[in-house]
Amino acid sequence: MNVVLVAPFGLAPKGTVSRRMLPLASALARGSPYRVTAVVPSWDHSTEAGRVWMDGGARVVHVPLHGGAPGTLAALLRTTLAQQPAVVHGFKPKGYSGLVLWFMWQARRLGLWHGRLVIDTDDWETGWNTRLAYPAPLAAFFAWQETWCLRQADGVTAASRWLVRLATELRGSSRHVRHVPNGLNVGQPAGSPTFVPPHPPTALLYTRFVEVTPQRVHRTWLRVRQLLPTARLIVAGDSLTGGQAAELAARAGPSSGLHCLGWAPAAALPGVLAAADVAWAPSATTPLARARCSVKLLELMHAGLPVVADAEGEVLTYVRQGVEGILVRPDDDQATAQALVSLLTDRPRAAAYGQHAATRVRREFTWDRLAPPVARFYQELSQ
């Protein structure tokens, strides 16, 4: 049986395709009877347009961008239909994947195709319309796509429990809505190197500034430094539009022990993780933050870092109080500071939490464990 996974955009810079769709496609190909094809518009790799390759057993087709959006959509549809799929699984209810789902739905109405349609949602797209300042007509179109896809698809896979609730409300039922959190492709434990040069007590904030503001980071870190003047905070990442990391650095000043790296190359990430003793994972109480499911948090845990996290949103899927880390009330700067200091100064406790975190990721949140329920979901929808 053939399954086609359709990407909303290219391989980078966003993580939906490279860190969710393709790893799931590979795991499905390894562990299920399905023949899996991933169809990706060559949005950001035009020099590789038309390339076809195998990724862990899944066939990946890089569709050329010809004739603008209509030509690209037509190429995506031709490539999808050529696989004679029993299931078409679109990733994100917006953009190209949402359009492919709509056209395949119409084809089925006309009797031209007889498979099943699944949509994956890993963010609240309507909420991003304001954050990314889309033009009003485009924002309205994306909002319509999200609502239509979540209602009309035969099945929904959702990265967070907040998105499960959104899909359930729109559909009027939780039937055929499945929670599929993000995972990792992991082999051996990815803990810190055996030898790490001595460094000050160091916390790491790995963020796109969706779940936390520069103001909150600054307030909390001032409290940490009052309690532990030698502490250091590494901030890796920035907002999609840029400028948040620079704003934070300007607020904190050079003597704060706060170091903003901005977007560090992927090759530099192991060194950044090795330099940290504790990971800080804030999570705002906004719908946009609650809808997210952070792959970054999984990477931090897999690296063996104990976590100080806000007890909010999808963080609760991964972090248990007193097991993988410490959970605090959202936006409680003082409690967050005290939790960070407690782990920065109690190395045995931090090491135990970090070991539990790495073990839990390897046992429960690998794509090889998350893919089989998705394969069973396809079978359920096809019956």
Side-chain angles (χ1 to χ4, degrees):
M1 189 180 296
N2 295 335
V3 175
V4 174
L5 280 60
V6 182
F9 39 64
L11 296 172
K14 299 177 183 179
T16 295
V17 179
S18 61
R19 302 172 87 179
R20 183 166 174 84
M21 190 185 100
L22 290 184
L24 175 58
S26 298
L28 284 168
R30 287 192 299 269
S32 78
Y34 293 110
R35 292 183 294 274
V36 182
T37 301
V39 180
V40 183
S42 54
W43 203 31
D44 46 11
H45 289 75
S46 58
T47 58
E48 297 188 5
R51 180 186 170 210
V52 179
W53 71 96
M54 300 301 293
D55 186 342
R59 183 169 173 263
V60 184
V61 181
H62 225 183
V63 176
L65 303 182
H66 291 320
T72 301
L73 175 60
L76 288 168
L77 285 167
R78 284 195 302 270
T79 304
T80 298
L81 285 166
Q83 314 309 314
Q84 299 181 329
V87 177
V88 174
H89 195 164
F91 280 71
K92 281 193 178 292
K94 69 182 291 188
Y96 285 125
S97 49
L99 285 168
V100 167
L101 200 80
W102 187 86
F103 275 98
M104 295 300 292
W105 186 82
Q106 298 294 347
R108 191 170 62 182
R109 287 184 64 201
L110 296 172
L112 303 176
W113 178 69
H114 303 285
R116 292 294 177 262
L117 296 167
V118 182
I119 194 70
D120 182 79
T121 175
D122 68 347
D123 229 326
W124 182 39
E125 306 304 335
T126 301
W128 276 105
N129 286 339
T130 302
R131 178 66 69 95
L132 295 179
Y134 288 124
L138 190 60
F141 177 66
F142 286 157
W144 172 82
Q145 277 192 304
E146 182 172 44
T147 299
W148 187 92
C149 289
L150 292 177
R151 282 177 173 164
Q152 298 300 331
D154 300 305
V156 176
T157 54
S160 70
R161 298 184 191 279
W162 190 94
L163 289 168
V164 167
R165 290 192 293 272
L166 174 65
T168 297
E169 290 171 7
L170 289 172
R171 296 166 70 88
S173 169
S174 61
R175 188 167 181 262
H176 295 161
V177 179
R178 295 293 183 272
H179 179 220
V180 182
N182 277 320
L184 292 180
N185 279 335
V186 302
Q188 297 301 314
S192 299
T194 303
F195 172 74
V196 177
H199 58 260
T202 301
L204 171 62
L205 173 63
Y206 187 14
T207 181
R208 287 198 306 175
F209 288 96
V210 175
E211 64 289 310
V212 69
T213 64
Q215 294 91 329
R216 186 190 171 196
V217 176
H218 184 225
R219 289 196 311 267
T220 301
W221 192 244
L222 284 177
R223 288 173 167 80
V224 170
R225 292 277 288 190
Q226 290 170 355
L227 298 169
L228 185 62
T230 59
R232 177 177 65 167
L233 176 66
I234 297 174
V235 181
D238 203 346
S239 59
L240 287 177
T241 54
Q244 297 289 289
E247 178 185 339
L248 174 58
R251 282 177 177 274
S255 61
S256 64
L258 192 151
H259 304 272
C260 292
L261 303 182
W263 286 115
L269 185 58
V272 174
L273 296 175
D277 303 302
V278 176
W280 177 22
S283 181
T285 56
T286 63
L288 197 60
R290 287 170 172 160
R292 299 180 70 246
C293 181
S294 177
V295 179
K296 297 180 183 69
L297 176 57
L298 283 174
E299 291 174 338
L300 296 167
M301 293 172 65
H302 184 235
L305 288 174
V307 179
V308 172
D310 289 350
E312 183 68 48
E314 204 60 19
V315 166
L316 296 174
T317 294
Y318 299 122
V319 181
R320 296 169 295 184
Q321 178 70 280
V323 182
E324 290 84 25
I326 300 175
L327 296 170
V328 298
R329 293 186 303 275
D331 297 323
D332 190 331
D333 301 340
Q334 187 62 35
T336 301
Q338 290 171 343
L340 286 168
V341 170
S342 71
L343 291 183
L344 288 171
T345 55
D346 188 343
R347 296 301 178 94
R349 182 185 179 201
Y353 286 174
Q355 183 59 51
H356 282 299
T359 300
R360 189 170 194 218
V361 170
R362 294 195 300 273
R363 286 180 177 172
E364 300 182 34
F365 296 106
T366 67
W367 282 114
D368 283 333
R369 290 189 63 86
L370 295 169
V374 177
R376 292 193 293 271
F377 188 38
Y378 294 160
Q379 292 171 351
E380 176 186 333
L381 294 173
S382 300
Q383 291 173 354

